[in-house]
Amino acid sequence: MSTPKLAFIAGDSVEAKEAEAALTQRYGVVDWQSADILVVLGGDGTILRVMHRVINDPKPIFGMHCGTVGFLMNRFDIDDLPRRLSHAKRSIIHPLLMRARDRNGREERALAFNEVSLLRQTAQAAKLGIYIDGIERLPELICDGIIMATPAGSTAYNLSAHGPILPLGAGVLALTPISAFRPRRWRGAILPHRAEVRFVISERDKRPVSATADFREIRDVRDVTVTEDSGISLTLLFDPEHHLEERILREQFQA
């Protein structure tokens, strides 16, 4: 079997740049468009940016941790990288598609591999109505915001907001409120991954809300619709002992 062509993509940190230099000296330089596998050096933010960058030309991605957060990353080791890649376990990731209409009725679209979040823009709490597949499920949620997370993103912002951790193959999405004031006891929902979720913002002038899909923010939205985009698939590679499903399972038993 021929050795795969590897492209190394580093984050902005000094540690990541030094790792890139060492790896290219050992394994050579390949442009990412010509590579068979992309090796990303940094933290979770770096690998998310690369995932967005290669949506139209998807290639397997193997991350190595050289940053501050590395849930999606493998340990860094310069040695025997082709063997690690040949034994790596694959995880298939689908993004969320966010369609947000601003105060002028203009629709903008963005993709999210981690989560879509709606957040209040001022000191006033947000007022949101929630519709699932066209049915009103919550007429008014007063809150700081709400998160809709993928399984891969369920251990990120969603977990910090006390949302559930989702197994990768469970076929569900997490809907998690941020500091819900009313109804105070509502803790969110777990939805089928095919669900269409629509958020309608009330009292928009008094209580403006922004919508963010990973890194893309749209301000002063009037309504936001979120669905899984199953037509887009990216492959993440993990060492067998640290694959994403195992990490998600392990995270649920952390103290």
PDB file of all heavy atoms in Angstrom, residues 4 10 80 93 113 127 158 178 252:
ATOM      1  N   PRO A   4       0.190   7.558   2.087  1.00  0.00           N
ATOM      2  CA  PRO A   4      -0.676   8.679   1.713  1.00  0.00           C
ATOM      3  C   PRO A   4       0.084   9.992   1.725  1.00  0.00           C
ATOM      4  O   PRO A   4       1.026  10.191   2.498  1.00  0.00           O
ATOM      5  CB  PRO A   4      -1.765   8.654   2.790  1.00  0.00           C
ATOM      6  CG  PRO A   4      -1.137   7.983   3.966  1.00  0.00           C
ATOM      7  CD  PRO A   4      -0.206   6.959   3.384  1.00  0.00           C
ATOM      8  N   ALA A  10      -1.164  24.228  10.308  1.00  0.00           N
ATOM      9  CA  ALA A  10      -0.916  24.622  11.691  1.00  0.00           C
ATOM     10  C   ALA A  10      -1.773  25.808  12.094  1.00  0.00           C
ATOM     11  O   ALA A  10      -2.119  26.663  11.280  1.00  0.00           O
ATOM     12  CB  ALA A  10       0.560  24.967  11.887  1.00  0.00           C
ATOM     13  N   ASP A  80       6.335   7.870  13.412  1.00  0.00           N
ATOM     14  CA  ASP A  80       5.478   6.791  12.918  1.00  0.00           C
ATOM     15  C   ASP A  80       4.069   7.259  12.567  1.00  0.00           C
ATOM     16  O   ASP A  80       3.078   6.545  12.788  1.00  0.00           O
ATOM     17  CB  ASP A  80       5.414   5.677  13.968  1.00  0.00           C
ATOM     18  CG  ASP A  80       5.197   4.297  13.323  1.00  0.00           C
ATOM     19  OD1 ASP A  80       5.321   4.211  12.082  1.00  0.00           O
ATOM     20  OD2 ASP A  80       4.899   3.348  14.059  1.00  0.00           O
ATOM     21  N   ILE A  93     -18.918  13.191  10.262  1.00  0.00           N
ATOM     22  CA  ILE A  93     -19.537  14.370  10.861  1.00  0.00           C
ATOM     23  C   ILE A  93     -20.416  15.070   9.827  1.00  0.00           C
ATOM     24  O   ILE A  93     -19.983  15.298   8.693  1.00  0.00           O
ATOM     25  CB  ILE A  93     -18.460  15.359  11.369  1.00  0.00           C
ATOM     26  CG1 ILE A  93     -17.484  14.659  12.316  1.00  0.00           C
ATOM     27  CG2 ILE A  93     -19.112  16.555  12.033  1.00  0.00           C
ATOM     28  CD1 ILE A  93     -18.103  14.177  13.592  1.00  0.00           C
ATOM     29  N   PHE A 113     -20.495  22.836  12.581  1.00  0.00           N
ATOM     30  CA  PHE A 113     -20.144  21.468  12.958  1.00  0.00           C
ATOM     31  C   PHE A 113     -20.274  21.263  14.470  1.00  0.00           C
ATOM     32  O   PHE A 113     -20.448  20.134  14.921  1.00  0.00           O
ATOM     33  CB  PHE A 113     -18.717  21.137  12.516  1.00  0.00           C
ATOM     34  CG  PHE A 113     -18.584  20.976  11.032  1.00  0.00           C
ATOM     35  CD1 PHE A 113     -18.128  22.016  10.243  1.00  0.00           C
ATOM     36  CD2 PHE A 113     -18.933  19.787  10.412  1.00  0.00           C
ATOM     37  CE1 PHE A 113     -18.023  21.881   8.872  1.00  0.00           C
ATOM     38  CE2 PHE A 113     -18.827  19.642   9.037  1.00  0.00           C
ATOM     39  CZ  PHE A 113     -18.370  20.686   8.264  1.00  0.00           C
ATOM     40  N   LYS A 127     -36.579  36.769  24.192  1.00  0.00           N
ATOM     41  CA  LYS A 127     -37.845  36.051  24.194  1.00  0.00           C
ATOM     42  C   LYS A 127     -37.944  35.275  22.885  1.00  0.00           C
ATOM     43  O   LYS A 127     -37.972  35.876  21.803  1.00  0.00           O
ATOM     44  CB  LYS A 127     -39.031  37.006  24.344  1.00  0.00           C
ATOM     45  CG  LYS A 127     -39.239  37.536  25.747  1.00  0.00           C
ATOM     46  CD  LYS A 127     -40.558  38.306  25.856  1.00  0.00           C
ATOM     47  CE  LYS A 127     -40.815  38.759  27.285  1.00  0.00           C
ATOM     48  NZ  LYS A 127     -42.127  39.472  27.419  1.00  0.00           N
ATOM     49  N   ASN A 158     -22.322  23.545  24.632  1.00  0.00           N
ATOM     50  CA  ASN A 158     -23.516  22.858  25.127  1.00  0.00           C
ATOM     51  C   ASN A 158     -23.300  22.273  26.518  1.00  0.00           C
ATOM     52  O   ASN A 158     -24.150  22.397  27.403  1.00  0.00           O
ATOM     53  CB  ASN A 158     -23.903  21.760  24.135  1.00  0.00           C
ATOM     54  CG  ASN A 158     -25.028  20.880  24.630  1.00  0.00           C
ATOM     55  OD1 ASN A 158     -26.173  21.276  24.693  1.00  0.00           O
ATOM     56  ND2 ASN A 158     -24.677  19.643  24.981  1.00  0.00           N
ATOM     57  N   ILE A 178     -29.869  28.677  27.677  1.00  0.00           N
ATOM     58  CA  ILE A 178     -28.820  29.350  28.448  1.00  0.00           C
ATOM     59  C   ILE A 178     -29.510  30.262  29.456  1.00  0.00           C
ATOM     60  O   ILE A 178     -30.184  31.221  29.080  1.00  0.00           O
ATOM     61  CB  ILE A 178     -27.882  30.161  27.536  1.00  0.00           C
ATOM     62  CG1 ILE A 178     -27.281  29.275  26.443  1.00  0.00           C
ATOM     63  CG2 ILE A 178     -26.777  30.831  28.343  1.00  0.00           C
ATOM     64  CD1 ILE A 178     -26.531  30.046  25.372  1.00  0.00           C
ATOM     65  N   GLN A 252     -18.795  11.468  29.928  1.00  0.00           N
ATOM     66  CA  GLN A 252     -20.002  11.365  30.739  1.00  0.00           C
ATOM     67  C   GLN A 252     -19.743  10.816  32.143  1.00  0.00           C
ATOM     68  O   GLN A 252     -20.617  10.874  33.010  1.00  0.00           O
ATOM     69  CB  GLN A 252     -21.014  10.462  30.011  1.00  0.00           C
ATOM     70  CG  GLN A 252     -21.481  11.046  28.693  1.00  0.00           C
ATOM     71  CD  GLN A 252     -22.448  10.134  27.981  1.00  0.00           C
ATOM     72  OE1 GLN A 252     -23.600  10.035  28.336  1.00  0.00           O
ATOM     73  NE2 GLN A 252     -21.959   9.426  26.963  1.00  0.00           N
TER      74      GLN A 252
END
